[in-house]
Amino acid sequence: MTQLLDPLTFPLHKTRLIEASAGTGKTYTIAALYLRLILGHGEEYGFGRALIPPEILVVTFTNAATQELRDRIRSRLTEAAAFFRNGKAQDPFLGNLRDSIPSDQWPNKAWLLDQAAQWMDEAAIYTIHGWSQRMLRQHAFETKTLFDLELEPDDTKLLEEAACDYWRTHVYPLLPERLQEMISETGCVSPQDLLYKSRPFLKLSMEDVEDPFALLEKRGQAIESTRLVWQSDLEAATDQLRRARANGTLNGNKYRAASLEKWIDQIVLWVKNNGPLPDDKTREMFSNQGIGNGVKKNQTPPTHPAYETFDQLNNLLSNMQLHTALFQHAAREISLRYEREKQNRNQVCYDDLVTGLADALESRKGDRLAKVIRHQFPVTLIDEFQDTDPVQYTTFKKIYGDHPDTGLFLIGDPKQAIYAFRGADIFTYLDARKETAGRRYTLGKNYRSTLGMTASVNRMFEEAADHPDGAFLFKNEIPFEAVAANGRENQFMVDNKPVKSMHWWHLPQTDPINKTGDQGYLHKMADAFAGKIVRLLNRAKQDPPQAGFMKGNGVLTPLRPLDMAILVRDGNEARIIRQAFHRCRIKSVYLSDKDSIFESNEAIETLYLLQACQAPTQAGLIRSALATSVLNLSFRQLDRFNQDEAAWEEQVERFNKYQVIWQQQGVLPMLWTLFRDFHVPARLLSDGDGERSLTNLLHLAELLQTTSSNIEGESALIRWLVEQIEDPAGNTDENLLRLESDADVVRVITIHKSKGLEFPLVFLPFICSFRKVTKKNT
């Protein structure tokens, strides 16, 4: 049974679950409960004594969220202190809170709140990893943690080293034919491929794993035995099927003449020329089972020993999960090598912090450690609980359990617990729901969305709730809870008429179309949405505006590109919709780009520029620099440098000047001078896509300047840039592509990254290209 949460009477003890949909005041509620804990408020509903900020643990999942929570709680404490002193506040909660306390205590309560606000810099507000690290260090003896452990935020290089070791140990010794079979079966052509495909298994505990190389050998022997049987009587085995088709024994639709010859060509290439194994279809059509299915009614199928060998081989290969065995085997060995190397280097990564604390709590001294942490943090609030994994939840259960003198409050949105890409585990959330039966609460009002949007979402999910599996595939465990509308009164208007809050658009075409291709679903939808957005923006530019947002005061605010967000699944969808925008002259920015700056074309061209500036006596380097798209010289200009010696000498003199600036002032002033001389910024900003290139160039210039302070000489800086291009470190924040603009442009963002963001108008142009989700693959 889930009950509506009243922040004034919510019991501040034991383990309790607060289910909060987006926009229902989750942060407001956390701050309200924090106030009550500071004040020692509630009597039978309270904690029992007043707490101080270092005693109230608030856990969330990003550094940005910790800072936001700290600021919001500090502001709330200050506001409440002022209200207790002078009684000026419009917040009903604060009014009811003060009224529930005798008036002679108000000055003291104001002092408590003031002190807490001043103490917020030392408040226990952490990410799960930050808190785990603090516990390991503070309780190093109980957790058996080394004092000099180094936190390595990015473990990619260590994992790659372990994958390369695995590749050298197991893959290098393979015979060429076995290597080719492994590549064909698994698609892994490098240690990096293997690591990528093995990652889902890295965190699994696997004891008994099949040896993939023994399977590979068994597979190879079976294929060779089959090939020898076919080789011994190839013509008879293939001619029998030709005759069976010609005399009508075989179904002509299943065994078309052209298809039959194509299949025979595959077998001949394999048998006579040691070519690739015939594909699944060919082996099926030349097996006893396939031939039996292809024979006309009342006809006797042709037989041959070779056909039976394909039955046996097909059965063996279908039951031989070579790719799964390889990925599991690799994951186990990579994990062991990775852990061993971390120990040798005294390094830990973020996940090690959480698992290290969990292991310590399960050790012989675990109960004592849990008691110490409970005493240190009597109350814990876990924000974004739906993103909690089993290890994290077990850790908090071990510490708090149902101790009556503690409080553990789990705050999350069950509808978001299905998002495994953020680390969420739906079954962990379901366990928490069961274990808090009778102590579950919900926030019942949406304060963020417009009234129409709230009503539309309620309607949509109420319809979905009638499905046998419910709106979220877990009908009984995660029911849909409609929320009341208490949000904005803004109304989107077009042509002086209100527009419904949720629209479904579809193409007028009824014939099936492919997903991709120039005339495919993605491109057609991108063009349709771009056209719709152009029409809306044109209506907004009219005088008076005919598209915009009507507020409560009756004033229409014209629609701007900045008001619109396009949600996509990945970079490919983003590229397609942005290309459609570009054709319509709509500027846009992609907010989810995670590529490294060193993977960009500008990085390579900057390298050419640096090489020419570092060695201006080498004509070939200068010619390479002049030919870059960054400088954008025409073929006529480049040819002139070959024909006109004076023009060429002028360029050589330019690059000599750049070398002097680099040596005397640094790489950044040198690149700025070069860009200015060739009018790079002005030209790029006048080009539709030029802003992206200019942003990349300026980003590279900054990185080069920063790096130059740590290394000696121009040659070393060029060497550094070459290394970055060869091995882009895309997972470090400073190397990620920067947004090219924060101006009034349309935002394109992935659905994953859009969580927590707000936009007045949202479009999902490709939402119908979804994959059907079942309980099995949720």
Side-chain angles (χ1 to χ4, degrees):
M1 178 68 180
T2 301
Q3 50 195 307
L4 282 176
L5 184 145
D6 182 347
L8 200 65
T9 59
F10 177 83
L12 297 174
H13 49 78
K14 292 192 175 181
T15 300
R16 302 182 188 277
L17 178 64
I18 302 172
E19 298 188 326
S21 298
T24 54
K26 179 187 63 174
T27 305
Y28 176 94
T29 301
I30 291 174
L33 300 182
Y34 203 98
L35 288 182
R36 290 181 57 207
L37 289 166
I38 293 294
L39 294 172
H41 174 272
E43 297 181 357
E44 73 271 22
Y45 297 114
F47 179 69
R49 67 179 177 88
L51 300 177
I52 58 176
E55 291 182 307
I56 307 170
L57 175 62
V58 182
V59 177
T60 188
F61 284 81
T62 66
N63 289 320
T66 62
Q67 188 57 48
E68 180 187 359
L69 274 172
R70 192 183 304 273
D71 292 343
R72 291 281 292 273
I73 292 172
R74 189 200 313 269
S75 174
R76 194 69 167 142
L77 289 167
T78 302
E79 179 188 3
F83 177 64
F84 269 85
R85 272 193 296 270
N86 57 38
K88 294 180 180 179
Q90 297 180 348
D91 188 334
F93 167 75
L94 288 182
N96 293 331
L97 178 63
R98 192 184 66 170
D99 291 345
S100 67
I101 297 172
S103 59
D104 61 336
Q105 296 183 23
W106 292 355
N108 176 259
K109 299 300 184 184
W111 181 83
L112 277 177
L113 293 166
D114 269 334
Q115 291 298 306
Q118 295 173 33
W119 213 336
M120 283 306 293
D121 287 336
E122 297 181 43
I125 302 177
Y126 300 102
T127 64
I128 181 65
H129 300 106
W131 176 73
S132 299
Q133 183 179 25
R134 182 182 178 189
M135 292 300 96
L136 291 172
R137 285 181 174 172
Q138 281 191 351
H139 309 291
F141 290 108
E142 291 88 346
T143 60
K144 297 181 181 179
T145 302
L146 296 176
F147 287 103
D148 60 346
L149 278 179
E150 178 187 349
L151 176 61
E152 177 55 55
D154 177 22
D155 60 357
T156 303
K157 287 191 175 181
L158 270 182
L159 284 171
E160 281 194 0
E161 286 178 14
C164 288
D165 286 344
Y166 180 89
W167 194 268
R168 281 189 290 267
T169 302
H170 296 287
V171 179
Y172 277 4
L174 292 177
L175 295 172
E177 57 269 26
R178 295 292 178 266
L179 176 61
Q180 188 55 49
E181 289 170 8
M182 188 205 79
I183 293 173
S184 174
E185 184 73 14
T186 66
C188 294
V189 298
S190 69
Q192 289 74 22
D193 285 345
L194 181 61
L195 176 60
Y196 176 77
K197 294 183 178 182
S198 302
R199 271 189 180 275
F201 301 98
L202 286 177
K203 293 185 179 181
L204 300 181
S205 176
M206 295 175 291
E207 296 297 330
D208 298 322
V209 176
E210 284 192 277
D211 183 347
F213 303 100
L215 291 179
L216 193 62
E217 186 62 31
K218 181 179 179 181
R219 181 182 187 276
Q221 291 175 358
I223 291 173
E224 181 60 18
S225 298
T226 304
R227 193 184 72 82
L228 292 175
V229 172
W230 275 89
Q231 188 181 54
S232 66
D233 202 9
L234 176 63
E235 291 188 9
T238 53
D239 285 347
Q240 272 203 76
L241 286 188
R242 284 192 179 105
R243 289 195 297 271
R245 187 199 175 281
N247 62 29
T249 300
L250 292 175
N251 185 319
N253 289 326
K254 292 185 177 180
Y255 285 84
R256 297 179 184 275
S259 299
L260 182 61
E261 293 306 318
K262 181 182 70 173
W263 298 330
I264 290 174
D265 288 344
Q266 281 193 43
I267 294 175
V268 170
L269 178 65
W270 171 56
V271 170
K272 291 189 172 181
N273 300 325
N274 207 22
L277 178 70
D279 60 31
D280 294 349
K281 179 71 173 179
T282 301
R283 298 198 311 272
E284 175 66 19
M285 302 308 285
F286 278 77
S287 68
N288 282 333
Q289 180 177 341
I291 294 169
N293 292 334
V295 170
K296 290 183 178 178
K297 193 173 182 180
N298 299 324
Q299 294 290 325
T300 302
T303 59
H304 192 281
Y307 305 154
E308 185 178 352
T309 64
F310 269 163
D311 284 299
Q312 296 169 354
L313 181 62
N314 291 343
N315 184 57
L316 174 69
L317 296 183
S318 65
N319 292 318
M320 184 182 288
Q321 299 296 321
L322 179 61
H323 59 288
T324 301
L326 176 64
F327 301 153
Q328 290 181 345
H329 188 267
R332 187 176 67 176
E333 289 207 16
I334 288 171
S335 293
L336 290 173
R337 294 171 192 237
Y338 168 67
E339 294 297 334
R340 187 166 58 244
E341 189 58 31
K342 281 196 300 183
Q343 289 178 4
N344 292 339
R345 301 186 186 191
N346 280 347
Q347 285 184 355
V348 292
C349 68
Y350 283 126
D351 286 342
D352 294 328
L353 300 173
V354 179
T355 55
L357 181 58
D359 291 342
L361 288 165
E362 293 297 331
S363 68
R364 185 170 54 87
K365 296 182 178 180
D367 290 341
R368 181 174 179 275
L369 176 61
K371 183 177 180 181
V372 170
I373 296 176
R374 277 197 304 274
H375 180 74
Q376 186 176 1
F377 305 108
V379 173
T380 289
L381 298 91
I382 302 181
D383 186 23
E384 304 288 5
F385 175 70
Q386 76 277 350
D387 292 344
T388 301
D389 65 28
V391 175
Q392 295 162 4
Y393 182 48
T394 301
T395 295
F396 286 106
K397 279 204 303 181
K398 177 72 175 178
I399 295 170
Y400 292 98
D402 264 331
H403 290 272
D405 56 343
T406 63
L408 175 62
F409 311 138
L410 316 173
I411 305 115
D413 184 352
K415 298 182 290 300
Q416 297 183 38
I418 61 174
Y419 295 149
F421 66 87
R422 287 206 306 264
D425 182 90
I426 181 65
F427 299 105
T428 298
Y429 194 94
L430 293 178
D431 287 344
R433 268 192 124 246
K434 291 174 185 175
E435 291 165 7
T436 55
R439 300 193 301 275
R440 291 200 300 261
Y441 302 80
T442 187
L443 301 179
K445 288 185 179 180
N446 184 296
Y447 298 92
R448 180 186 302 166
S449 302
T450 61
L451 306 182
M453 178 56 69
T454 303
S456 296
V457 171
N458 281 340
R459 172 74 182 278
M460 182 177 70
F461 281 106
E462 282 166 352
E463 291 285 337
D466 292 335
H467 187 274
D469 285 328
F472 309 108
L473 301 181
F474 295 90
K475 185 175 182 110
N476 296 324
E477 292 127 315
I478 304 184
F480 172 69
E481 301 276 356
V483 294
N486 194 28
R488 303 167 181 161
E489 296 183 359
N490 291 12
Q491 175 66 56
F492 184 49
M493 307 285 291
V494 176
D495 295 334
N496 297 318
K497 297 178 182 177
V499 178
K500 294 288 186 183
S501 295
M502 187 177 292
H503 278 263
W504 295 90
W505 294 346
H506 60 84
L507 294 171
Q509 180 174 339
T510 56
D511 296 332
I513 57 176
N514 294 325
K515 180 179 178 181
T516 56
D518 291 342
Q519 297 300 314
Y521 168 77
L522 294 181
H523 285 85
K524 283 182 175 292
M525 292 304 292
D527 289 338
F529 272 72
K532 180 68 174 180
I533 289 173
V534 167
R535 289 191 290 274
L536 288 174
L537 289 174
N538 286 339
R539 302 294 286 163
K541 291 178 182 177
Q542 293 183 3
D543 188 15
Q546 295 299 305
F549 299 94
M550 183 76 75
K551 298 185 179 180
N553 58 9
V555 176
L556 184 74
T557 303
L559 175 69
R560 300 180 303 157
L562 187 64
D563 295 326
M564 294 183 281
I566 313 297
L567 302 191
V568 295
R569 283 190 176 80
D570 51 38
N572 180 54
E573 291 186 356
R575 178 182 56 79
I576 291 173
I577 191 70
R578 294 191 72 199
Q579 286 175 345
F581 287 159
H582 181 59
R583 290 191 292 272
C584 296
R585 298 186 179 181
I586 301 173
K587 288 190 175 184
S588 64
V589 62
Y590 182 39
L591 300 181
S592 302
D593 214 329
K594 285 297 180 184
D595 291 336
S596 168
I597 185 65
F598 298 110
E599 295 178 279
S600 65
N601 182 62
E602 288 78 18
I604 297 173
E605 297 204 337
T606 299
L607 173 62
Y608 295 153
L609 296 178
L610 292 183
Q611 289 172 332
C613 295
Q614 190 255 344
T617 58
Q618 297 187 34
L621 295 179
I622 294 180
R623 294 187 191 280
S624 295
L626 292 172
T628 59
S629 61
V630 168
L631 302 188
N632 196 41
L633 299 179
S634 66
F635 288 121
R636 186 187 298 274
Q637 288 172 295
L638 294 173
D639 184 58
R640 182 182 169 216
F641 299 146
N642 292 326
Q643 310 300 329
D644 187 337
E645 187 172 342
W648 171 249
E649 287 300 325
E650 181 183 348
Q651 298 307 313
V652 173
E653 186 58 34
R654 260 186 173 177
F655 280 86
N656 274 305
K657 178 185 72 173
Y658 300 146
Q659 183 189 45
V660 173
I661 296 174
W662 189 353
Q663 292 171 345
Q664 295 181 353
Q665 301 178 38
V667 66
L668 183 60
M670 181 272 288
L671 286 172
W672 263 113
T673 304
L674 187 153
F675 294 155
R676 187 179 63 248
D677 288 351
F678 286 91
H679 310 291
V680 172
R683 177 177 52 77
L684 290 177
L685 289 176
S686 66
D687 182 12
D689 287 335
E691 195 173 2
R692 172 76 271 166
S693 293
L694 182 59
T695 302
N696 288 349
L697 289 170
L698 299 181
H699 186 182
L700 286 162
E702 288 181 26
L703 289 173
L704 288 164
Q705 179 66 29
T706 301
T707 304
S708 66
S709 63
N710 299 320
I711 58 179
E712 284 283 336
E714 296 84 9
S715 297
L717 188 61
I718 290 175
R719 247 189 338 267
W720 175 84
L721 180 56
V722 170
E723 290 171 358
Q724 304 310 305
I725 292 172
E726 290 177 348
D727 183 20
N731 47 8
T732 57
D733 288 344
E734 63 268 23
N735 294 349
L736 296 179
L737 287 175
R738 293 177 178 173
L739 296 182
E740 58 265 43
S741 176
D742 58 0
D744 188 13
V745 295
V746 176
R747 269 57 173 157
V748 180
I749 184 171
T750 61
I751 296 172
H752 296 173
K753 287 286 288 184
S754 67
K755 179 184 179 296
L757 301 180
E758 296 181 48
F759 300 96
L761 212 55
V762 176
F763 300 85
L764 292 93
F766 311 119
I767 198 61
C768 288
S769 62
F770 66 92
R771 288 185 306 161
K772 187 173 181 180
V773 178
T774 64
K775 287 184 179 180
K776 184 177 180 181
N777 60 25
T778 297

